[in-house]
Amino acid sequence: MSFEHPLRIDARMTDLGDGMQVHRTLPSRLQRTVGAWCFLDHVGPVDMAHHTGMHVGQHPHIGLQTFTWMLSGEIWHRDSLGTEQLIRPGQINLMTAGRGIVHTEDSQATADSLHLAQLWIALPAHLQDMEPHFAHYPHLPQWEEQGAQYTLLVGQYASYQAPTQVYSPLLGLDIAVEHAQTLHLVVQPGFEYALQTLVGGFVLTSAQDAQRYDTSALAYWPADAASSLVLDVEAGSRLLLLGGEPLSQKPTMWWNFVAYEKERIAQAQQDWQAASPRFGVVGDGKATRIAAPAIPWR
Ligand code: MN
């Protein structure tokens, strides 16, 4: 049982354009990373009858993996390796940027709503220059327990193993409940955890009081803070549990880049602005190209 409250990280609202509502909880000044998870945007749900959806032009990444988990709607991913992949609800797109990649993301108007979680995973220092690659995971381990439906997105949980290829000890677990439930989530020694609400909410009860979390805040537990996570989940809720071994070396994140040396970020910014072949182009290269801001520490 856990009797102490986790750290509450309030989401910042950002706009992806066209009034697209985004809650951003990582990185936060309170906590930059959860394991190697270093960025968390909760997008939507957006009513597609009133929005044009998500249309992100050509932009580069280095030193990270982009991770997309779809709840509703469809998005076309296209990248400079020639990948064209439609992602649907219940599927994951995982793009490993390594030394450099460019991609675009365009939601389809085929569904009523668009709802997804977009995360970044920092690559470890010795792999930050690896060859870029892309993977799509249409099938993930699913099971029911304690009245909840679990989908394992990353890592291991109970007797299950996710197929997603990541490069550090990580967990990603989607939890959906139909009726109000008390859940006991298993934690792994040495892992830190965070719980993000995607729909609905949950309540954590300490020795002193009870605190409710909904989409407006992330709950964060340091490594070994609790022997299990006990939560009262509201009916119809959908939660995302993230976990991982705390990073021993914290990378620098700037714009769309992650690196362990600032010079690598400055070089990537320069290469992107100079349209260096290091990054390549998406398709015929005609999609809008997003300019990098100036490096602030020069
Ligand atoms: Mn991106």
Side-chain angles (χ1 to χ4, degrees), residues 43-213:
V43 181
V46 173
D47 181 352
M48 290 297 282
H50 299 100
H51 293 275
T52 54
M54 186 172 149
H55 298 281
V56 187
Q58 295 186 81
H59 63 283
H61 289 288
I62 65 165
L64 56 81
Q65 295 180 288
T66 63
F67 176 98
T68 305
W69 170 234
M70 290 300 289
L71 278 72
S72 63
E74 295 180 337
I75 292 177
W76 273 104
H77 159 93
R78 297 180 178 89
D79 65 40
S80 49
L81 304 174
T83 312
E84 294 201 6
Q85 180 66 56
L86 185 68
I87 180 171
R88 294 196 167 96
Q91 303 181 340
I92 288 169
N93 274 357
L94 183 61
M95 182 181 79
T96 305
R99 62 178 166 73
I101 198 166
V102 183
H103 73 145
T104 60
E105 290 157 295
D106 291 287
S107 59
Q108 296 286 96
T110 47
D112 295 340
S113 89
L114 180 67
H115 193 189
L116 62 141
Q118 275 212 321
L119 299 101
W120 294 354
I121 302 165
L123 287 170
H126 69 284
L127 294 175
Q128 59 182 330
D129 273 335
M130 73 190 302
E131 283 292 306
H133 54 278
F134 176 87
H136 173 69
Y137 298 97
H139 305 294
L140 299 159
Q142 278 200 329
W143 70 98
E144 282 197 26
E145 201 184 307
Q146 303 174 36
Q149 169 135 44
Y150 294 87
T151 307
L152 187 57
L153 312 180
V154 176
Q156 290 176 298
Y157 190 90
S159 58
Y160 300 92
Q161 170 75 53
T164 34
Q165 189 177 16
V166 295
Y167 298 94
S168 56
L170 277 185
L171 174 74
L173 181 67
D174 182 282
I175 305 161
V177 309
E178 193 179 339
H179 306 289
Q181 295 285 341
T182 299
L183 298 184
H184 296 252
L185 302 177
V186 178
V187 304
Q188 193 168 316
F191 267 37
E192 55 189 347
Y193 288 92
L195 195 53
Q196 170 77 53
T197 301
L198 300 173
V199 178
F202 61 92
V203 172
L204 298 170
T205 304
S206 76
Q208 283 77 40
D209 62 354
Q211 289 190 7
R212 180 174 184 270
Y213 285 80

Side-chain angles (χ1 to χ4, degrees), residues 6-25:
L7 182 65
R8 177 185 288 263
I9 298 173
D10 289 321
R12 288 165 290 143
M13 299 299 293
T14 62
D15 197 319
L16 282 191
D18 183 38
M20 287 262 303
Q21 192 190 48
V22 178
H23 287 84
R24 183 165 297 166
T25 45

Side-chain angles (χ1 to χ4, degrees), residues 7 9 12 24-40 120 122 192 194 218 220 242 247 249-255 257-258 265:
L7 182 65
I9 298 173
R12 288 165 290 143
R24 183 165 297 166
T25 45
L26 287 178
S28 150
R29 247 179 291 174
L30 296 174
Q31 185 63 32
R32 299 197 61 76
T33 51
V34 178
W37 297 106
C38 62
F39 179 91
L40 170 52
W120 294 354
E192 55 189 347
L218 180 75
Y220 166 79
L242 303 176
L247 293 179
Q249 196 186 355
K250 299 275 180 185
T252 297
M253 287 179 62
W254 180 82
W255 195 47
F257 302 144
V258 170
I265 287 177

